PDB file of all heavy atoms in Angstrom:
ATOM      1  N   GLU A 230      -2.077  21.657 -12.634  1.00 98.00           N
ATOM      2  CA  GLU A 230      -2.421  21.062 -13.946  1.00 98.00           C
ATOM      3  C   GLU A 230      -2.706  19.567 -13.803  1.00 98.00           C
ATOM      4  O   GLU A 230      -2.062  18.895 -12.994  1.00 98.00           O
ATOM      5  CB  GLU A 230      -1.259  21.228 -14.941  1.00 98.00           C
ATOM      6  CG  GLU A 230      -0.928  22.688 -15.254  1.00 98.00           C
ATOM      7  CD  GLU A 230      -1.848  23.284 -16.280  1.00 98.00           C
ATOM      8  OE1 GLU A 230      -2.397  22.521 -17.110  1.00 98.00           O
ATOM      9  OE2 GLU A 230      -1.982  24.546 -16.311  1.00 98.00           O
ATOM     10  N   TYR A 231      -3.627  19.073 -14.633  1.00 98.00           N
ATOM     11  CA  TYR A 231      -3.961  17.619 -14.610  1.00 98.00           C
ATOM     12  C   TYR A 231      -4.011  17.134 -16.056  1.00 98.00           C
ATOM     13  O   TYR A 231      -4.393  17.842 -16.965  1.00 98.00           O
ATOM     14  CB  TYR A 231      -5.331  17.405 -13.956  1.00 98.00           C
ATOM     15  CG  TYR A 231      -5.333  17.840 -12.503  1.00 98.00           C
ATOM     16  CD1 TYR A 231      -5.769  19.120 -12.189  1.00 98.00           C
ATOM     17  CD2 TYR A 231      -4.899  16.999 -11.520  1.00 98.00           C
ATOM     18  CE1 TYR A 231      -5.719  19.551 -10.861  1.00 98.00           C
ATOM     19  CE2 TYR A 231      -4.872  17.427 -10.195  1.00 98.00           C
ATOM     20  CZ  TYR A 231      -5.274  18.691  -9.883  1.00 98.00           C
ATOM     21  OH  TYR A 231      -5.234  19.112  -8.579  1.00 98.00           O
ATOM     22  N   TYR A 232      -3.657  15.842 -16.217  1.00 97.00           N
ATOM     23  CA  TYR A 232      -3.601  15.194 -17.534  1.00 97.00           C
ATOM     24  C   TYR A 232      -4.200  13.819 -17.475  1.00 97.00           C
ATOM     25  O   TYR A 232      -4.091  13.136 -16.440  1.00 97.00           O
ATOM     26  CB  TYR A 232      -2.136  15.149 -18.030  1.00 97.00           C
ATOM     27  CG  TYR A 232      -1.579  16.556 -18.245  1.00 97.00           C
ATOM     28  CD1 TYR A 232      -0.995  17.245 -17.182  1.00 97.00           C
ATOM     29  CD2 TYR A 232      -1.691  17.201 -19.464  1.00 97.00           C
ATOM     30  CE1 TYR A 232      -0.534  18.546 -17.333  1.00 97.00           C
ATOM     31  CE2 TYR A 232      -1.260  18.484 -19.630  1.00 97.00           C
ATOM     32  CZ  TYR A 232      -0.659  19.156 -18.556  1.00 97.00           C
ATOM     33  OH  TYR A 232      -0.207  20.433 -18.731  1.00 97.00           O
ATOM     34  N   PRO A 233      -4.820  13.346 -18.558  1.00 95.00           N
ATOM     35  CA  PRO A 233      -5.480  12.024 -18.550  1.00 95.00           C
ATOM     36  C   PRO A 233      -4.509  10.891 -18.225  1.00 95.00           C
ATOM     37  O   PRO A 233      -3.312  11.018 -18.519  1.00 95.00           O
ATOM     38  CB  PRO A 233      -6.024  11.917 -19.983  1.00 95.00           C
ATOM     39  CG  PRO A 233      -6.108  13.303 -20.496  1.00 95.00           C
ATOM     40  CD  PRO A 233      -4.981  14.071 -19.850  1.00 95.00           C
ATOM     41  N   LEU A 234      -5.025   9.811 -17.641  1.00 89.00           N
ATOM     42  CA  LEU A 234      -4.221   8.617 -17.448  1.00 89.00           C
ATOM     43  C   LEU A 234      -3.645   8.168 -18.800  1.00 89.00           C
ATOM     44  O   LEU A 234      -4.358   8.140 -19.804  1.00 89.00           O
ATOM     45  CB  LEU A 234      -5.045   7.506 -16.852  1.00 89.00           C
ATOM     46  CG  LEU A 234      -5.273   7.526 -15.327  1.00 89.00           C
ATOM     47  CD1 LEU A 234      -6.305   6.492 -14.960  1.00 89.00           C
ATOM     48  CD2 LEU A 234      -3.967   7.297 -14.583  1.00 89.00           C
ATOM     49  N   GLY A 235      -2.377   7.832 -18.769  1.00 90.00           N
ATOM     50  CA  GLY A 235      -1.750   7.339 -20.016  1.00 90.00           C
ATOM     51  C   GLY A 235      -1.200   8.492 -20.877  1.00 90.00           C
ATOM     52  O   GLY A 235      -0.585   8.243 -21.925  1.00 90.00           O
ATOM     53  N   HIS A 236      -1.401   9.742 -20.463  1.00 95.00           N
ATOM     54  CA  HIS A 236      -0.937  10.896 -21.232  1.00 95.00           C
ATOM     55  C   HIS A 236       0.612  10.856 -21.359  1.00 95.00           C
ATOM     56  O   HIS A 236       1.328  10.452 -20.396  1.00 95.00           O
ATOM     57  CB  HIS A 236      -1.325  12.185 -20.510  1.00 95.00           C
ATOM     58  CG  HIS A 236      -1.095  13.432 -21.266  1.00 95.00           C
ATOM     59  ND1 HIS A 236      -1.881  13.794 -22.331  1.00 95.00           N
ATOM     60  CD2 HIS A 236      -0.112  14.407 -21.179  1.00 95.00           C
ATOM     61  CE1 HIS A 236      -1.433  14.926 -22.827  1.00 95.00           C
ATOM     62  NE2 HIS A 236      -0.372  15.329 -22.168  1.00 95.00           N
ATOM     63  N   THR A 237       1.080  11.230 -22.525  1.00 95.00           N
ATOM     64  CA  THR A 237       2.564  11.129 -22.764  1.00 95.00           C
ATOM     65  C   THR A 237       3.240  12.404 -23.280  1.00 95.00           C
ATOM     66  O   THR A 237       4.417  12.388 -23.503  1.00 95.00           O
ATOM     67  CB  THR A 237       2.832   9.967 -23.751  1.00 95.00           C
ATOM     68  OG1 THR A 237       2.148  10.270 -24.981  1.00 95.00           O
ATOM     69  CG2 THR A 237       2.418   8.641 -23.198  1.00 95.00           C
ATOM     70  N   ASN A 238       2.474  13.472 -23.465  1.00 97.00           N
ATOM     71  CA  ASN A 238       3.089  14.695 -23.974  1.00 97.00           C
ATOM     72  C   ASN A 238       2.945  15.814 -22.922  1.00 97.00           C
ATOM     73  O   ASN A 238       1.885  16.391 -22.740  1.00 97.00           O
ATOM     74  CB  ASN A 238       2.435  15.132 -25.274  1.00 97.00           C
ATOM     75  CG  ASN A 238       3.129  16.312 -25.923  1.00 97.00           C
ATOM     76  OD1 ASN A 238       3.945  17.022 -25.295  1.00 97.00           O
ATOM     77  ND2 ASN A 238       2.899  16.514 -27.202  1.00 97.00           N
ATOM     78  N   PHE A 239       4.062  16.115 -22.249  1.00 97.00           N
ATOM     79  CA  PHE A 239       4.021  17.082 -21.134  1.00 97.00           C
ATOM     80  C   PHE A 239       4.764  18.388 -21.515  1.00 97.00           C
ATOM     81  O   PHE A 239       5.125  19.177 -20.639  1.00 97.00           O
ATOM     82  CB  PHE A 239       4.637  16.482 -19.907  1.00 97.00           C
ATOM     83  CG  PHE A 239       3.802  15.353 -19.318  1.00 97.00           C
ATOM     84  CD1 PHE A 239       4.067  14.037 -19.667  1.00 97.00           C
ATOM     85  CD2 PHE A 239       2.748  15.614 -18.476  1.00 97.00           C
ATOM     86  CE1 PHE A 239       3.333  12.994 -19.151  1.00 97.00           C
ATOM     87  CE2 PHE A 239       1.966  14.589 -17.971  1.00 97.00           C
ATOM     88  CZ  PHE A 239       2.283  13.240 -18.291  1.00 97.00           C
ATOM     89  N   ASN A 240       5.020  18.612 -22.786  1.00 96.00           N
ATOM     90  CA  ASN A 240       5.806  19.773 -23.172  1.00 96.00           C
ATOM     91  C   ASN A 240       5.119  21.076 -22.825  1.00 96.00           C
ATOM     92  O   ASN A 240       5.789  22.033 -22.344  1.00 96.00           O
ATOM     93  CB  ASN A 240       6.079  19.748 -24.667  1.00 96.00           C
ATOM     94  CG  ASN A 240       7.059  18.618 -25.027  1.00 96.00           C
ATOM     95  OD1 ASN A 240       7.996  18.330 -24.243  1.00 96.00           O
ATOM     96  ND2 ASN A 240       6.907  18.000 -26.173  1.00 96.00           N
ATOM     97  N   SER A 241       3.797  21.201 -22.969  1.00 97.00           N
ATOM     98  CA  SER A 241       3.156  22.458 -22.616  1.00 97.00           C
ATOM     99  C   SER A 241       3.187  22.691 -21.092  1.00 97.00           C
ATOM    100  O   SER A 241       3.376  23.814 -20.612  1.00 97.00           O
ATOM    101  CB  SER A 241       1.673  22.448 -23.094  1.00 97.00           C
ATOM    102  OG  SER A 241       0.927  21.411 -22.456  1.00 97.00           O
ATOM    103  N   LEU A 242       3.038  21.596 -20.302  1.00 97.00           N
ATOM    104  CA  LEU A 242       3.146  21.721 -18.873  1.00 97.00           C
ATOM    105  C   LEU A 242       4.555  22.177 -18.504  1.00 97.00           C
ATOM    106  O   LEU A 242       4.698  23.067 -17.659  1.00 97.00           O
ATOM    107  CB  LEU A 242       2.877  20.339 -18.228  1.00 97.00           C
ATOM    108  CG  LEU A 242       3.289  20.214 -16.746  1.00 97.00           C
ATOM    109  CD1 LEU A 242       2.432  21.107 -15.879  1.00 97.00           C
ATOM    110  CD2 LEU A 242       3.194  18.762 -16.310  1.00 97.00           C
ATOM    111  N   ILE A 243       5.536  21.578 -19.113  1.00 98.00           N
ATOM    112  CA  ILE A 243       6.930  21.945 -18.766  1.00 98.00           C
ATOM    113  C   ILE A 243       7.228  23.433 -19.069  1.00 98.00           C
ATOM    114  O   ILE A 243       7.864  24.115 -18.295  1.00 98.00           O
ATOM    115  CB  ILE A 243       7.912  21.009 -19.508  1.00 98.00           C
ATOM    116  CG1 ILE A 243       7.779  19.597 -18.892  1.00 98.00           C
ATOM    117  CG2 ILE A 243       9.338  21.519 -19.390  1.00 98.00           C
ATOM    118  CD1 ILE A 243       8.496  18.520 -19.699  1.00 98.00           C
ATOM    119  N   ASN A 244       6.625  23.939 -20.119  1.00 98.00           N
ATOM    120  CA  ASN A 244       6.796  25.338 -20.467  1.00 98.00           C
ATOM    121  C   ASN A 244       6.141  26.220 -19.370  1.00 98.00           C
ATOM    122  O   ASN A 244       6.697  27.237 -18.999  1.00 98.00           O
ATOM    123  CB  ASN A 244       6.191  25.670 -21.812  1.00 98.00           C
ATOM    124  CG  ASN A 244       7.017  25.105 -22.955  1.00 98.00           C
ATOM    125  OD1 ASN A 244       8.244  24.929 -22.815  1.00 98.00           O
ATOM    126  ND2 ASN A 244       6.376  24.827 -24.073  1.00 98.00           N
ATOM    127  N   LYS A 245       4.970  25.776 -18.871  1.00 98.00           N
ATOM    128  CA  LYS A 245       4.303  26.548 -17.819  1.00 98.00           C
ATOM    129  C   LYS A 245       5.136  26.530 -16.535  1.00 98.00           C
ATOM    130  O   LYS A 245       5.196  27.527 -15.802  1.00 98.00           O
ATOM    131  CB  LYS A 245       2.916  25.958 -17.544  1.00 98.00           C
ATOM    132  CG  LYS A 245       1.924  26.150 -18.712  1.00 98.00           C
ATOM    133  CD  LYS A 245       0.600  25.477 -18.429  1.00 98.00           C
ATOM    134  CE  LYS A 245      -0.377  25.650 -19.593  1.00 98.00           C
ATOM    135  NZ  LYS A 245      -1.658  24.927 -19.397  1.00 98.00           N
ATOM    136  N   ILE A 246       5.735  25.385 -16.223  1.00 98.00           N
ATOM    137  CA  ILE A 246       6.604  25.289 -15.046  1.00 98.00           C
ATOM    138  C   ILE A 246       7.803  26.211 -15.196  1.00 98.00           C
ATOM    139  O   ILE A 246       8.174  26.900 -14.230  1.00 98.00           O
ATOM    140  CB  ILE A 246       7.057  23.839 -14.844  1.00 98.00           C
ATOM    141  CG1 ILE A 246       5.873  22.970 -14.419  1.00 98.00           C
ATOM    142  CG2 ILE A 246       8.146  23.760 -13.773  1.00 98.00           C
ATOM    143  CD1 ILE A 246       6.162  21.470 -14.364  1.00 98.00           C
ATOM    144  N   LYS A 247       8.371  26.271 -16.358  1.00 97.00           N
ATOM    145  CA  LYS A 247       9.531  27.154 -16.561  1.00 97.00           C
ATOM    146  C   LYS A 247       9.168  28.622 -16.376  1.00 97.00           C
ATOM    147  O   LYS A 247       9.952  29.382 -15.824  1.00 97.00           O
ATOM    148  CB  LYS A 247      10.088  26.935 -17.974  1.00 97.00           C
ATOM    149  CG  LYS A 247      10.915  25.655 -18.145  1.00 97.00           C
ATOM    150  CD  LYS A 247      11.508  25.607 -19.534  1.00 97.00           C
ATOM    151  CE  LYS A 247      12.531  24.454 -19.633  1.00 97.00           C
ATOM    152  NZ  LYS A 247      13.123  24.356 -20.974  1.00 97.00           N
ATOM    153  N   VAL A 248       7.965  28.972 -16.797  1.00 98.00           N
ATOM    154  CA  VAL A 248       7.532  30.365 -16.612  1.00 98.00           C
ATOM    155  C   VAL A 248       7.270  30.670 -15.122  1.00 98.00           C
ATOM    156  O   VAL A 248       7.639  31.731 -14.632  1.00 98.00           O
ATOM    157  CB  VAL A 248       6.278  30.636 -17.472  1.00 98.00           C
ATOM    158  CG1 VAL A 248       5.683  32.020 -17.134  1.00 98.00           C
ATOM    159  CG2 VAL A 248       6.611  30.562 -18.941  1.00 98.00           C
ATOM    160  N   ALA A 249       6.630  29.706 -14.442  1.00 98.00           N
ATOM    161  CA  ALA A 249       6.247  29.913 -13.057  1.00 98.00           C
ATOM    162  C   ALA A 249       7.434  29.896 -12.100  1.00 98.00           C
ATOM    163  O   ALA A 249       7.430  30.548 -11.054  1.00 98.00           O
ATOM    164  CB  ALA A 249       5.247  28.863 -12.625  1.00 98.00           C
ATOM    165  N   LYS A 250       8.462  29.139 -12.414  1.00 98.00           N
ATOM    166  CA  LYS A 250       9.684  29.012 -11.598  1.00 98.00           C
ATOM    167  C   LYS A 250       9.354  28.702 -10.127  1.00 98.00           C
ATOM    168  O   LYS A 250       9.756  29.458  -9.235  1.00 98.00           O
ATOM    169  CB  LYS A 250      10.507  30.283 -11.668  1.00 98.00           C
ATOM    170  CG  LYS A 250      11.049  30.562 -13.119  1.00 98.00           C
ATOM    171  CD  LYS A 250      11.854  31.814 -13.142  1.00 98.00           C
ATOM    172  CE  LYS A 250      12.389  32.082 -14.533  1.00 98.00           C
ATOM    173  NZ  LYS A 250      13.138  33.342 -14.680  1.00 98.00           N
ATOM    174  N   PRO A 251       8.614  27.616  -9.851  1.00 98.00           N
ATOM    175  CA  PRO A 251       8.297  27.315  -8.462  1.00 98.00           C
ATOM    176  C   PRO A 251       9.490  26.777  -7.721  1.00 98.00           C
ATOM    177  O   PRO A 251      10.422  26.241  -8.300  1.00 98.00           O
ATOM    178  CB  PRO A 251       7.245  26.197  -8.628  1.00 98.00           C
ATOM    179  CG  PRO A 251       7.656  25.471  -9.879  1.00 98.00           C
ATOM    180  CD  PRO A 251       8.174  26.590 -10.808  1.00 98.00           C
ATOM    181  N   ASP A 252       9.471  26.926  -6.376  1.00 98.00           N
ATOM    182  CA  ASP A 252      10.516  26.348  -5.572  1.00 98.00           C
ATOM    183  C   ASP A 252      10.376  24.808  -5.584  1.00 98.00           C
ATOM    184  O   ASP A 252      11.389  24.118  -5.468  1.00 98.00           O
ATOM    185  CB  ASP A 252      10.391  26.790  -4.100  1.00 98.00           C
ATOM    186  CG  ASP A 252      10.672  28.284  -3.973  1.00 98.00           C
ATOM    187  OD1 ASP A 252      11.411  28.845  -4.778  1.00 98.00           O
ATOM    188  OD2 ASP A 252      10.097  28.899  -3.025  1.00 98.00           O
ATOM    189  N   CYS A 253       9.101  24.369  -5.710  1.00 98.00           N
ATOM    190  CA  CYS A 253       8.848  22.892  -5.635  1.00 98.00           C
ATOM    191  C   CYS A 253       7.794  22.493  -6.672  1.00 98.00           C
ATOM    192  O   CYS A 253       6.743  23.100  -6.777  1.00 98.00           O
ATOM    193  CB  CYS A 253       8.331  22.551  -4.245  1.00 98.00           C
ATOM    194  SG  CYS A 253       7.800  20.828  -4.085  1.00 98.00           S
ATOM    195  N   ILE A 254       8.133  21.476  -7.477  1.00 98.00           N
ATOM    196  CA  ILE A 254       7.130  20.808  -8.306  1.00 98.00           C
ATOM    197  C   ILE A 254       6.588  19.683  -7.408  1.00 98.00           C
ATOM    198  O   ILE A 254       7.315  18.807  -6.977  1.00 98.00           O
ATOM    199  CB  ILE A 254       7.749  20.241  -9.574  1.00 98.00           C
ATOM    200  CG1 ILE A 254       8.381  21.331 -10.408  1.00 98.00           C
ATOM    201  CG2 ILE A 254       6.665  19.467 -10.378  1.00 98.00           C
ATOM    202  CD1 ILE A 254       9.212  20.817 -11.625  1.00 98.00           C
ATOM    203  N   PHE A 255       5.303  19.740  -7.131  1.00 98.00           N
ATOM    204  CA  PHE A 255       4.666  18.711  -6.284  1.00 98.00           C
ATOM    205  C   PHE A 255       3.816  17.809  -7.200  1.00 98.00           C
ATOM    206  O   PHE A 255       2.840  18.273  -7.762  1.00 98.00           O
ATOM    207  CB  PHE A 255       3.808  19.383  -5.197  1.00 98.00           C
ATOM    208  CG  PHE A 255       3.351  18.452  -4.110  1.00 98.00           C
ATOM    209  CD1 PHE A 255       4.293  17.795  -3.296  1.00 98.00           C
ATOM    210  CD2 PHE A 255       2.037  18.193  -3.865  1.00 98.00           C
ATOM    211  CE1 PHE A 255       3.920  16.949  -2.283  1.00 98.00           C
ATOM    212  CE2 PHE A 255       1.623  17.335  -2.859  1.00 98.00           C
ATOM    213  CZ  PHE A 255       2.610  16.725  -2.056  1.00 98.00           C
ATOM    214  N   ALA A 256       4.232  16.555  -7.366  1.00 98.00           N
ATOM    215  CA  ALA A 256       3.699  15.740  -8.452  1.00 98.00           C
ATOM    216  C   ALA A 256       2.931  14.538  -7.956  1.00 98.00           C
ATOM    217  O   ALA A 256       3.280  13.874  -6.976  1.00 98.00           O
ATOM    218  CB  ALA A 256       4.831  15.280  -9.364  1.00 98.00           C
ATOM    219  N   ALA A 257       1.845  14.236  -8.684  1.00 97.00           N
ATOM    220  CA  ALA A 257       1.056  12.996  -8.498  1.00 97.00           C
ATOM    221  C   ALA A 257       0.691  12.437  -9.834  1.00 97.00           C
ATOM    222  O   ALA A 257      -0.492  12.101 -10.110  1.00 97.00           O
ATOM    223  CB  ALA A 257      -0.131  13.288  -7.621  1.00 97.00           C
ATOM    224  N   VAL A 258       1.660  12.410 -10.776  1.00 96.00           N
ATOM    225  CA  VAL A 258       1.459  11.723 -12.051  1.00 96.00           C
ATOM    226  C   VAL A 258       1.626  10.229 -11.797  1.00 96.00           C
ATOM    227  O   VAL A 258       2.572   9.829 -11.117  1.00 96.00           O
ATOM    228  CB  VAL A 258       2.503  12.223 -13.072  1.00 96.00           C
ATOM    229  CG1 VAL A 258       2.384  11.437 -14.374  1.00 96.00           C
ATOM    230  CG2 VAL A 258       2.341  13.711 -13.295  1.00 96.00           C
ATOM    231  N   VAL A 259       0.779   9.414 -12.362  1.00 91.00           N
ATOM    232  CA  VAL A 259       0.801   7.975 -11.996  1.00 91.00           C
ATOM    233  C   VAL A 259       1.011   7.077 -13.230  1.00 91.00           C
ATOM    234  O   VAL A 259       0.851   7.536 -14.379  1.00 91.00           O
ATOM    235  CB  VAL A 259      -0.494   7.495 -11.291  1.00 91.00           C
ATOM    236  CG1 VAL A 259      -0.806   8.429 -10.092  1.00 91.00           C
ATOM    237  CG2 VAL A 259      -1.663   7.450 -12.241  1.00 91.00           C
ATOM    238  N   GLY A 260       1.326   5.823 -12.932  1.00 86.00           N
ATOM    239  CA  GLY A 260       1.418   4.801 -13.944  1.00 86.00           C
ATOM    240  C   GLY A 260       2.431   5.087 -15.028  1.00 86.00           C
ATOM    241  O   GLY A 260       3.469   5.694 -14.805  1.00 86.00           O
ATOM    242  N   GLY A 261       2.097   4.643 -16.253  1.00 87.00           N
ATOM    243  CA  GLY A 261       3.003   4.770 -17.351  1.00 87.00           C
ATOM    244  C   GLY A 261       3.300   6.192 -17.725  1.00 87.00           C
ATOM    245  O   GLY A 261       4.333   6.460 -18.388  1.00 87.00           O
ATOM    246  N   SER A 262       2.449   7.155 -17.387  1.00 93.00           N
ATOM    247  CA  SER A 262       2.694   8.555 -17.712  1.00 93.00           C
ATOM    248  C   SER A 262       3.986   9.076 -17.081  1.00 93.00           C
ATOM    249  O   SER A 262       4.587  10.009 -17.560  1.00 93.00           O
ATOM    250  CB  SER A 262       1.502   9.443 -17.269  1.00 93.00           C
ATOM    251  OG  SER A 262       0.368   9.170 -18.030  1.00 93.00           O
TER     252      SER A 262
END
Side-chain angles (χ1 to χ4, degrees):
E230 298 280 334
Y231 299 93
Y232 295 86
L234 277 171
H236 189 75
T237 58
N238 187 344
F239 293 95
N240 290 326
S241 63
L242 166 67
I243 291 170
N244 288 334
K245 291 177 183 176
I246 291 173
K247 283 186 170 180
V248 171
K250 297 180 179 177
D252 296 331
C253 175
I254 301 171
F255 192 62
V258 175
V259 308
S262 292

